Amino acid sequence: MRWSRRLGAAAALLALGLGPSGAQEAPAQAKPTIVSPPTAAAAPGTEALDPSLSPECRVPGSKLYTLAKLKAVKAALKENRPVRVLAVGSTSAGPGASATYPMKLETALERSLPDVDVVVEARGLQGEIASGAAERLRTMVADVEPDLVVWQVGTHDALARVELDAFGDALDETVKWIKSHDMDVVLVDPLYTASLADDVYYSSIVRKVQEIAAREGVPLVQRYEAMRYLSGRAEKSEGHMLGRQFRLNDLGLRCMAEHVTRAITLSLLQPDTTGSAGAVLKPDASAAPTREGAARAAPGNGPQVNPTPDAH
């Protein structure tokens, strides 16, 4: 299975000009470009939902992500090797439904990256704030040696009322450390709950995550805005995604896996000539190890990405 996937990935990458030099060129194909969420029928004055997502997880793109380049993941695709993902955060591992999150994310990524082998490993940081999690995260990174770190961050800092600048400094320093070791980062901002929708401090933590993602040029999954949007739909409430003790239920984890995947696949379509991430959309709520192995080659024009995977 993996051998056939790699053969398929190699063919796709050669077709995009990402194969080894000297390989026979495939017929010319259009280079991938940044793709906006597919348009769907929407009421006048409203933004269309993204139909590539499951119906119960659909939100407009402006409430779901900001994009940035993912050089390390592109390099893994170019080298025709499995993409290793480290998923970190309080809902990444644990009893019950949360134990299925790595499988949900891996399945969603492989659906959106045809013929690519994706390996997701999860590490839980239950209840830990960013400053305390930073050192443990570095140990995890050294152990897994991922191409991409997906970090859910900020919820426990907000609940613990961590000083805002201290939170921002710890997050910024850790993101820079990961990037300095030739790994990509995707940030996932805090959970939404109606009980804290008017909490100014909680909202400031959400904005701080957005600010750092924009400054460091890393993709951001706007989980707070996505959950708030879904909770505000007439037939829904936050309870359909959020379980007890600030833990996502099975549907919430599946939607998060789809949302993270959407941000990753669209970020992979960012041209290499672009600069940093686009403008962040603010919500309305008030001893360093080194990577081993051969050095990565410079990424090519872009990976084979299915911009509109079938919703499921």
Side-chain angles (χ1 to χ4, degrees):
M1 177 72 71
R2 288 192 173 184
W3 179 247
S4 63
R5 279 180 178 169
R6 292 178 183 177
L7 287 177
L13 293 169
L14 284 171
L16 287 165
L18 286 172
S21 59
Q24 183 177 359
E25 294 185 0
Q29 296 185 6
K31 295 180 180 179
T33 56
I34 302 175
V35 179
S36 299
T39 57
T46 63
E47 184 180 356
L49 305 182
D50 187 337
S52 71
L53 303 169
S54 297
E56 58 270 31
C57 301
R58 288 177 184 169
V59 296
S62 67
K63 297 183 182 298
L64 183 54
Y65 49 69
T66 59
L67 307 177
K69 293 182 288 185
L70 294 173
K71 295 181 179 180
V73 176
K74 278 191 178 182
L77 296 174
K78 179 179 178 181
E79 294 167 11
N80 193 31
R81 57 180 174 78
V83 175
R84 297 187 65 83
V85 179
L86 174 62
V88 179
S90 60
T91 59
S92 292
S98 61
T100 67
Y101 172 66
M103 183 178 296
K104 293 177 190 294
L105 180 58
E106 186 172 297
T107 299
L109 284 168
E110 289 188 338
R111 182 181 296 113
S112 292
L113 298 172
D115 302 314
V116 174
D117 190 7
V118 179
V119 179
V120 176
E121 295 201 31
R123 299 289 189 274
L125 290 172
Q126 269 74 3
E128 289 205 35
I129 61 177
S131 58
E135 193 58 40
R136 284 190 59 201
L137 191 148
R138 295 185 187 198
T139 301
M140 296 172 188
V141 166
D143 179 48
V144 176
E145 294 191 340
D147 302 291
L148 172 65
V149 177
V150 179
W151 189 6
Q152 305 167 55
V153 66
T155 298
H156 292 292
D157 295 82
L159 295 176
R161 318 301 282 190
V162 172
E163 200 277 322
L164 185 61
D165 288 339
F167 166 75
D169 290 345
L171 178 58
D172 192 43
E173 179 183 347
T174 306
V175 169
K176 286 179 177 176
W177 181 89
I178 296 171
K179 291 172 59 181
S180 73
H181 289 79
D182 300 321
M183 304 172 198
D184 292 326
V185 187
V186 171
L187 295 179
V188 182
D189 67 20
L191 296 166
Y192 167 82
T193 175
S195 63
L196 292 171
D198 297 324
D199 187 298
V200 175
Y201 175 79
Y202 196 94
S203 298
S204 70
I205 288 286
V206 175
R207 288 193 297 271
K208 180 62 70 172
V209 177
Q210 296 177 335
E211 173 191 320
I212 290 171
R215 184 167 67 241
E216 295 301 327
V218 300
L220 170 70
V221 178
Q222 299 177 165
R223 179 169 58 176
Y224 183 94
E225 277 295 284
M227 288 185 66
R228 182 169 69 165
Y229 180 87
L230 291 171
S231 297
R233 293 166 67 174
E235 73 279 13
K236 302 293 184 182
S237 68
E238 69 178 58
H240 82 296
M241 294 183 68
L242 191 63
R244 294 178 299 174
Q245 298 178 334
F246 260 70
R247 301 290 296 275
L248 290 173
N249 60 22
D250 191 70
L251 174 61
L253 290 167
R254 177 160 65 81
C255 288
M256 187 173 70
E258 291 188 32
H259 295 168
V260 169
T261 295
R262 193 63 172 145
I264 291 171
T265 52
L266 289 182
S267 288
L268 284 170
L269 293 173
Q270 289 272 5
D272 291 333
T273 55
T274 58
S276 60
V280 170
L281 299 170
K282 294 184 179 181
D284 294 331
S286 299
T290 58
R291 286 187 65 91
E292 297 178 357
R296 291 188 173 98
N301 292 328
Q304 173 86 10
V305 174
N306 179 8
T308 56
D310 293 335
H312 55 284

